[in-house]
């Protein structure tokens, strides 16, 4: 008897065939397919083998789970022996259907271990001493650290043909690798950002096909990146070190079995070349007259290159990158070119993106083409850059001369829709510039659309904001001198982010950054990695340390993330409790940002803080239960109830008014379940009254914005939520869209018809936080939601809430178990 059940999309730790993993007991997941309704898995068997041939014989020499009677198809923990460094495990799954009939074995998948033990690393940190890379005339005045990029190389002689070769590499800084004239891998800005004093990610590349018997040239180009370049505000650079360095190791297995290891060491040589400087905030300057043709080929004469300096590795752990790398994920061609002043061309991509442009140009040697980047234009059509603050966001290309030249930078990124081009020889045609969209390559997981073009544009703006700001870490904005991992922004947006893209691996990585940034006393920070804003965290910011793991558990059914951070989360709660014995969060509010960027509505900061304190405790109780810590679950539930009681006693009146009487105050009190049942409808009434009083407009800042529509919906005021969604008057999402926004603005009044641009001191046009309404589109409008009791879409709640005059809505969301679709229409009186 055949079954229609199939097994597909095998993943290991959220990734498809991860090359380089240092998780000893990784979790395996698969999706089931079937044509028949009600089909399900009743049992599974996983085989893990050390080579594909063994697996093909249906044997698992590393692990054979045996037939396990279970419907589990996500997060099945590998229970075989830990792999050795560099070892690859092959695996496949078979499932039994509801009638006990086995499906075919899945296609094989694999994962491969990284370099697991510190002693596996033989390489040293190599680079050029600063005196060998002095700044030259290309470096703009008044800026430190803009020095030429080191080019490093060495020749590796292989006595025979390579059978299998792996390159393990990282940098303090950012790197690009070359092997025999080819680029290695497709990641950009590797190794990504972590607190380099606490952990450094490394990448692994399969370079078997790039090597050949005889001489091979291995090359690396380094940039300062987050390590040595400018990050954050205040003109500050060299946060972790003064110059970039490379750490690398090549492992080659030759035909015949011999192995060869080549590491970064004093035998390498270095020089500077065409990259006269590069910096994430300031831009890149490339002088093609100084190209080093053939530098990454074996025959190159490097006699005048200098020896590198080599430093031994220190104790900072090297960890295998465990999320999708940063890549160029899409191209966005320039659509139009204008000339607002003589000699100045402005190219418009039509979309605010994060990344850079590829330039095509032809002209005389030494011609200097300058590119400046901005999100918006001045009324006279010139580029508006005041809101970039100290970020110069300027790339320069100096022509080699003689024929078409195509160039793009390597070690910078900008947030922009417009490119100002000066010095371009001849007329600039739109196709001379192509936007390169850069970000963490998190897979698309969701789609939402409906009959309102306004809402569809909102959804696009939210996703573009996410793509542009998920770049190694979740940043606040990609354009100005900031680009920090603000915890507040991340917690406000994380649920929406999960709906749009598969961000499980991305946030798993970042939560390690958050843990690294926790203080010894237990305080989570405002930003992770902790940099520039070194303060301990503020209410609604620091709480990301609890809210993000909870959300990943809800969305992906991931309990290991809870276990991993349980100790840190309890330290955080203890830290708050110790300082606030009467359970109102009064002490240790640090920067205390409040309901950041609200509109004429100041929510009292003690109300926000105490509401979050209670919320944290409640989430802790739920998470404790999920990982079997029942006694702690009871403790935290009790704590949550006591904080709620203190909240009510201090801030809530007998007729359901919450101190401050702002929309955010009500949204927090209601959404966090702080009010006694009899006061809830009253409080909801006050919330609606405030919206009405303001001409049916919202007033929430970052803290309240994501809860507003869900709270109204839960309280029976769906119509009000829809009104806010569809509003085009200031302040609203629609207002920015009506005025041309293609990403979510940092503030409701980033630009207004009356006042023009807001103060450039803080006015990003690509900040995702106010886009936190996105989750409500999926969960309420389309109506796909998790069941908190069976998280990760193990149970799916379908509960569409049509309204607002929409005639259809449709969402698709890729859960750990596969795609979920909801689609409704209204035609006349018929709801389908
Ligand atoms: C950032 C925000 C951040 C805030 C703290 C700003 O400069 O851009 O997004 O959360 O500071 O209030």
């Amino acid at each position: 008897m055949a079954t229609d059940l199939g097994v597909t999309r095998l993943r290991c730790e959220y990734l498809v065939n991860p090359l380089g993993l240092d998780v000893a007991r990784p979790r395996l997941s698969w999706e089931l397919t079937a044509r028949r309704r009600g089909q399900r898995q009743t049992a599974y068997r996983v085989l893990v083998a050390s080579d594909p041939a063994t697996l093909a014989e249906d044997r698992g020499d590393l692990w054979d789970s045996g037939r396990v009677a279970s419907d589990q198809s996500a997060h099945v923990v590998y229970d075989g022996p830990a792999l050795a460094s560099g070892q690859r495990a092959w695996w496949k799954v078979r499932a039994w259907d509801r009638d006990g009939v086995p499906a075919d074995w899945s296609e094989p998948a694999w994962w491969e271990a990284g370099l697991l033990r510190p002693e596996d690393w033989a390489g040293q940190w190599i680079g050029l001493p600063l005196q060998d890379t002095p700044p030259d005339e290309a470096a703009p005045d008044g800026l430190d650290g803009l020095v030429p990029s080191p080019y490093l190389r060495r020749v590796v002689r292989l006595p025979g043909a390579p059978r299998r070769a792996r390159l393990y590499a990282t940098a303090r800084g950012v790197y690009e690798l070359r092997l025999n004239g080819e680029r290695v891998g497709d990641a950009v800005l590797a190794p990504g950002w972590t607190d380099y004093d606490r952990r450094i990610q490394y990448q692994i590349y399969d370079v078997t096909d790039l090597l050949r018997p005889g001489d091979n040239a291995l090359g690396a180009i380094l940039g300062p990146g987050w390590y040595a370049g400018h990050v954050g505000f205040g003109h500050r650079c060299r946060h972790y070190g003064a110059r970039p360095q490379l750490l690398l190791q090549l492992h080659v297995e030759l035909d015949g079995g011999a192995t060869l290891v080549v590491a970064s060491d004093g035998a390498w040589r270095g020089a500077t070349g065409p990259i006269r400087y590069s910096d994430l905030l300031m831009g890149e300057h490339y002088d093609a007259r100084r190209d080093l043709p053939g530098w990454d080929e074996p025959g190159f004469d490097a006699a005048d290159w200098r020896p590198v300096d080599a430093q031994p590795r220190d104790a900072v752990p090297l960890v295998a990158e465990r999320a999708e790398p940063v890549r160029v994920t899409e191209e966005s061609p320039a659509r139009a070119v204008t000339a607002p002043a003589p000699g100045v061309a402005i190219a418009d991509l039509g979309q605010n993106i994060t990344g850079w442009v590829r330039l095509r140009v032809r002209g005389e040697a030494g011609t200097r083409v300058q590119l400046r980047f901005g999100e918006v234009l001045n009324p006279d059509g010139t580029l508006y850059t005041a809101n970039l603050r100290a970020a110069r966001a300027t790339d320069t290309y100096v022509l080699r001369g003689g024929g078409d030249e195509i160039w793009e930078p390597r070690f910078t990124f900008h947030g922009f829709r417009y490119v100002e081009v000066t010095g371009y020889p001849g007329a600039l045609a739109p196709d001379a510039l192509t936007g390169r969209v850069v970000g963490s390559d998190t897979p698309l997981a969701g789609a939402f659309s409906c009959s309102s073009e306004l809402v569809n544009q909102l959804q696009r703006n939210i996703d573009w904001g996410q793509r542009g700001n998920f770049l190694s870490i979740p940043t606040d904005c990609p354009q100005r001198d900031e680009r920090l991992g603000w915890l507040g922004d991340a917690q406000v947006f994380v649920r929406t982010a999960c709906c749009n893209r598969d961000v499980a691996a991305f946030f798993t990585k970042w939560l390690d950054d958050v843990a690294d940034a926790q203080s010894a006393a237990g305080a989570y920070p405002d930003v992770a990695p902790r940099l520039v804003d070194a303060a301990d965290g503020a209410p609604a910011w620091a709480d990301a340390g609890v809210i993000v793991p909870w959300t990943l558990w809800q969305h992906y059914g991931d309990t290991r993330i809870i276990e991993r951070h349980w100790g840190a989360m309890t330290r955080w709660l203890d830290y708050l409790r110790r300082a606030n014995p009467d359970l109102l969060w009064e002490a240790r509010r640090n920067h205390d940002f409040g309901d950041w960027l609200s509109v004429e509505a100041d929510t009292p900061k003690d109300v926000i803080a105490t509401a979050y304190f209670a919320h944290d405790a409640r989430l802790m109780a739920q998470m404790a239960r999920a990982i079997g810590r029942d006694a702690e679950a009871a403790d935290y539930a009790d704590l949550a109830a006591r904080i709620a009681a203190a909240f009510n006693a201090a801030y809530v009146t007998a007729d359901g008014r919450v101190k401050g009487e702002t929309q955010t105050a009500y949204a927090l009190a209601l959404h966090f379940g702080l009010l006694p049942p009899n006061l809830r409808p009253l409080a909801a009434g006050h919330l609606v009254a405030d919206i009405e009083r303001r001409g049916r407009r919202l007033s929430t800042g970052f803290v309240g914005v994501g809860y507003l529509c869900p709270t109204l919906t839960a309280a029976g005021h769906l119509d009000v939520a829809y009104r806010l969604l569809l509003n085009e008057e200031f302040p609203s999402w629609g207002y920015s869209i009506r005025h041309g926004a293609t990403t979510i603005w940092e503030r409701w009044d980033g630009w207004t018809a009356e006042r023009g641009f807001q103060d450039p001191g803080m006015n990003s046009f690509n900040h995702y936080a106010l886009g936190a309404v996105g989750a409500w589109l999926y969960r309420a409008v389309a109506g796909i939601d998790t069941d908190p009791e069976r998280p990760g879409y193990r149970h799916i709640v379908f509960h569409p809430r049509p309204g607002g005059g929409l005639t259809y809505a449709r969402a698709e969301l890729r859960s750990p178990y596969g795609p979920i679709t909801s689609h409704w229409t209204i035609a006349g009186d018929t709801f389908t």
Side-chain angles (χ1 to χ4, degrees):
M1 193 176 36
T3 175
D4 65 335
L5 189 68
V7 176
T8 165
R9 246 174 71 83
L10 275 58
R11 283 150 295 142
C12 174
E13 288 298 318
Y14 294 113
L15 303 169
V16 176
N17 297 339
L19 181 62
L21 202 65
D22 52 18
V23 180
R25 298 174 74 230
R27 294 161 299 170
L28 308 174
S29 304
W30 56 91
E31 281 181 16
L32 300 166
T33 58
R35 285 181 309 278
R36 272 193 299 165
R37 228 171 226 289
Q39 186 54 286
R40 62 196 187 92
Q41 170 187 299
T42 54
Y44 69 80
R45 182 173 170 205
V46 177
L47 294 178
V48 184
S50 50
D51 60 71
T54 309
L55 198 68
E57 293 165 9
D58 298 344
R59 289 192 300 119
D61 60 335
L62 290 172
W63 188 48
D64 180 347
S65 70
R67 184 179 182 282
V68 182
S70 165
D71 63 357
Q72 186 183 359
S73 59
H75 308 307
V76 171
V77 177
Y78 164 70
D79 202 17
L83 302 191
S85 287
Q87 189 181 354
R88 181 175 288 200
W90 298 80
W91 66 288
K92 64 181 181 182
V93 195
R94 149 171 280 179
W96 279 260
D97 76 1
R98 66 178 184 194
D99 304 316
V101 180
D104 288 340
W105 285 104
S106 70
E107 292 295 314
W110 51 263
W111 80 92
E112 188 173 305
L115 292 184
L116 304 174
R117 301 168 313 164
E119 59 271 29
D120 295 329
W121 287 92
Q124 295 179 296
W125 290 109
I126 61 170
L128 288 179
L130 272 181
Q131 66 266 21
D132 286 349
T133 61
D136 67 12
E137 69 289 346
D141 289 340
L143 287 178
D144 287 334
L146 299 192
V147 300
S149 269
Y151 284 62
L152 309 176
R153 80 188 293 278
R154 77 155 282 176
V155 172
V156 179
R157 198 169 170 72
L158 295 189
R163 184 163 65 194
R164 178 185 198 266
R166 295 288 181 272
L167 196 47
Y168 303 87
T170 187
R172 302 205 272 219
V174 284
Y175 71 87
E176 180 180 310
L177 296 180
R178 317 278 307 178
L179 186 48
N180 294 329
E182 306 277 342
R183 195 182 193 302
V184 177
D186 59 0
V188 299
L189 301 171
W193 189 6
T194 53
D195 181 338
Y196 300 102
D197 295 327
R198 294 182 181 244
R199 75 180 71 218
I200 300 182
Q201 302 189 111
Y202 64 92
Q203 284 73 34
I204 299 143
Y205 306 95
D206 180 348
V207 292
T208 316
D209 293 341
L210 293 176
L211 289 168
R212 53 204 181 212
D215 282 349
N216 294 268
L218 194 48
I221 315 171
L222 302 181
W226 297 274
Y227 182 82
H230 290 84
V231 186
F233 40 81
H235 275 108
R236 286 162 64 182
C237 65
R238 298 184 169 164
H239 295 278
Y240 302 96
R243 65 190 170 110
Q245 291 170 303
L246 173 77
L247 181 74
L248 163 157
Q249 213 156 296
L250 174 68
H251 289 225
V252 189
E253 256 174 61
L254 297 166
D255 278 347
T259 62
L260 187 105
V261 176
V262 177
S264 50
D265 60 18
W268 288 57
R269 298 181 76 81
T272 62
I275 301 180
R276 302 318 293 165
Y277 66 80
S278 69
D279 185 274
L280 299 179
L281 302 189
M282 302 305 163
E284 186 161 313
H285 183 110
Y286 191 97
D287 189 339
R289 294 169 304 180
R290 306 178 76 138
D291 271 344
L292 303 163
W295 76 276
D296 51 2
E297 304 270 5
F300 183 76
D301 178 7
D304 61 344
W305 284 38
R306 288 178 287 278
V308 297
D309 78 328
Q311 280 173 10
R313 252 180 357 92
D314 55 21
V316 176
L318 300 169
V319 298
E321 180 170 52
R322 61 164 309 147
E324 299 81 5
V326 179
R327 292 196 177 99
V328 174
T329 59
E330 190 177 326
E331 296 198 339
S332 180
R335 300 191 187 168
V337 171
T338 52
V344 179
I346 300 261
D348 178 6
L349 304 188
Q351 173 63 50
N352 200 14
I353 68 164
T354 298
W356 52 75
V357 293
R358 186 176 58 223
L359 169 74
R360 195 167 46 73
V361 62
R362 175 190 266 271
E364 277 175 34
T367 309
R368 224 178 119 112
V369 179
Q370 180 181 278
L371 310 170
R372 293 202 311 142
F373 298 82
E375 297 177 287
V376 288
L377 299 179
N378 290 306
D380 65 359
T382 56
L383 193 71
Y384 180 84
T385 57
N387 69 330
L388 307 185
R389 304 192 308 212
R392 297 207 182 180
T394 303
D395 292 345
T396 308
Y397 181 75
V398 182
L399 273 68
R400 179 186 318 121
D404 275 346
E405 299 179 39
I406 292 176
W407 174 76
E408 64 187 288
R410 287 187 173 80
F411 302 137
T412 188
F413 67 89
H414 317 295
F416 66 102
R417 169 177 169 170
Y418 300 96
V419 191
E420 179 205 79
V421 185
T422 49
Y424 191 86
L428 182 77
D431 67 356
L433 291 182
T434 306
R436 303 268 282 165
V437 177
V438 174
S440 285
D441 196 6
T442 53
L444 190 68
F448 174 90
S449 59
C450 67
S451 58
S452 160
E453 199 28 52
L454 182 83
V455 177
N456 294 340
Q457 185 63 40
L458 172 62
Q459 167 60 23
R460 284 192 288 273
N461 291 4
I462 293 169
D463 189 48
W464 273 105
Q466 177 167 342
R467 295 174 71 183
N469 281 301
F470 280 32
L471 198 157
S472 189
I473 61 155
T475 62
D476 55 339
C477 56
Q479 72 298 78
R480 68 177 177 225
D481 57 344
E482 189 138 8
R483 314 185 194 188
L484 299 171
W486 287 100
L487 270 74
D489 309 40
Q491 70 87 356
V492 162
F493 190 70
V494 59
R495 188 76 192 226
T496 296
C498 291
C499 295
N500 289 326
R501 299 200 169 241
D502 180 349
V503 292
F506 175 84
F507 273 113
T508 300
K509 179 267 179 194
W510 185 64
L511 283 173
D512 283 345
D513 301 332
V514 171
D516 284 345
Q518 190 175 27
S519 78
Y524 284 122
D526 282 331
V527 295
R530 203 191 267 235
L531 198 79
V532 183
D533 175 348
D536 288 342
W541 269 251
D543 305 292
V546 173
I547 295 169
V548 174
W550 179 85
T551 307
L552 296 187
W553 165 54
Q554 284 293 309
H555 198 90
Y556 299 106
D558 190 337
T559 49
R560 190 180 273 182
I561 201 78
I562 301 175
E563 277 154 2
R564 184 170 178 86
H565 295 284
W566 185 253
M569 294 190 290
T570 55
R571 283 197 296 283
W572 164 244
L573 268 291
D574 290 347
Y575 161 92
L576 289 185
R577 254 199 277 200
R578 269 196 313 276
N580 298 290
D582 57 3
L583 302 182
L584 302 177
W585 183 353
E586 275 160 351
R588 296 187 166 165
R589 296 211 304 256
N590 304 311
H591 279 331
D592 212 6
F593 300 112
D595 187 18
W596 193 244
L597 302 176
S598 59
V599 181
E600 288 167 19
D602 276 333
T603 305
K605 291 177 177 172
D606 50 354
V607 172
I608 294 175
T610 304
Y612 268 94
F613 188 14
H615 187 50
D616 284 354
R618 199 168 62 131
L619 302 187
M620 290 294 283
Q622 295 176 14
M623 289 191 282
R625 216 178 312 120
I627 58 169
R629 291 177 175 266
D630 293 339
E632 283 158 284
D635 270 1
Y636 279 116
D638 174 61
L639 176 65
R642 285 185 297 121
I643 302 172
F647 181 94
N648 279 281
Y651 310 131
V652 184
T653 65
D655 67 343
R657 289 182 195 277
V658 179
K659 181 177 159 192
E661 300 187 42
T662 61
Q663 295 174 20
T664 291
Y666 289 115
L668 295 180
L670 285 162
H671 192 81
F672 293 170
L674 304 180
L675 303 178
N678 62 317
L679 294 189
R680 285 178 207 157
L682 297 174
H686 299 314
L687 167 60
V688 172
D690 183 79
I691 294 169
E692 295 294 337
R693 189 174 60 74
R694 289 169 185 269
R696 305 178 155 186
R697 295 181 202 180
L698 55 74
S699 68
T700 49
F702 281 23
V703 169
V705 68
Y707 302 133
L708 192 55
C709 289
T711 302
L712 289 164
T713 306
H717 298 285
L718 182 67
D719 55 327
V720 183
Y722 267 108
R723 230 183 289 128
L724 297 177
L725 177 71
L726 298 170
N727 186 14
E728 295 184 29
E729 303 306 319
F730 174 80
S732 66
W733 297 282
Y735 187 78
S736 69
I737 292 167
R738 187 148 68 84
H739 294 288
T742 60
T743 38
I744 300 290
W745 293 354
E746 176 174 25
R747 44 204 309 162
W748 300 112
D749 59 356
W751 182 92
T752 59
E754 295 72 33
R755 272 217 323 260
F757 293 126
Q758 239 305 344
D759 182 341
M762 218 188 70
N763 195 22
S764 141
F765 292 95
N766 191 0
H767 240 73
Y768 51 64
L770 296 182
V773 66
W776 182 74
L777 300 178
Y778 287 89
R779 299 173 71 186
V781 177
I784 303 173
D785 209 348
T786 47
D787 172 354
E789 294 303 315
R790 308 289 310 274
Y793 301 95
R794 184 92 166 205
H795 279 178
I796 306 161
V797 177
F798 284 103
H799 186 171
R801 289 161 179 98
L806 299 186
T807 54
Y808 81 88
R810 182 188 174 97
E812 180 158 321
L813 195 152
R814 183 144 217 154
S815 80
Y817 301 99
I820 304 165
T821 303
S822 166
H823 181 194
W824 57 258
T825 59
I826 295 176
D829 302 338
T830 312
F831 173 76
T832 308

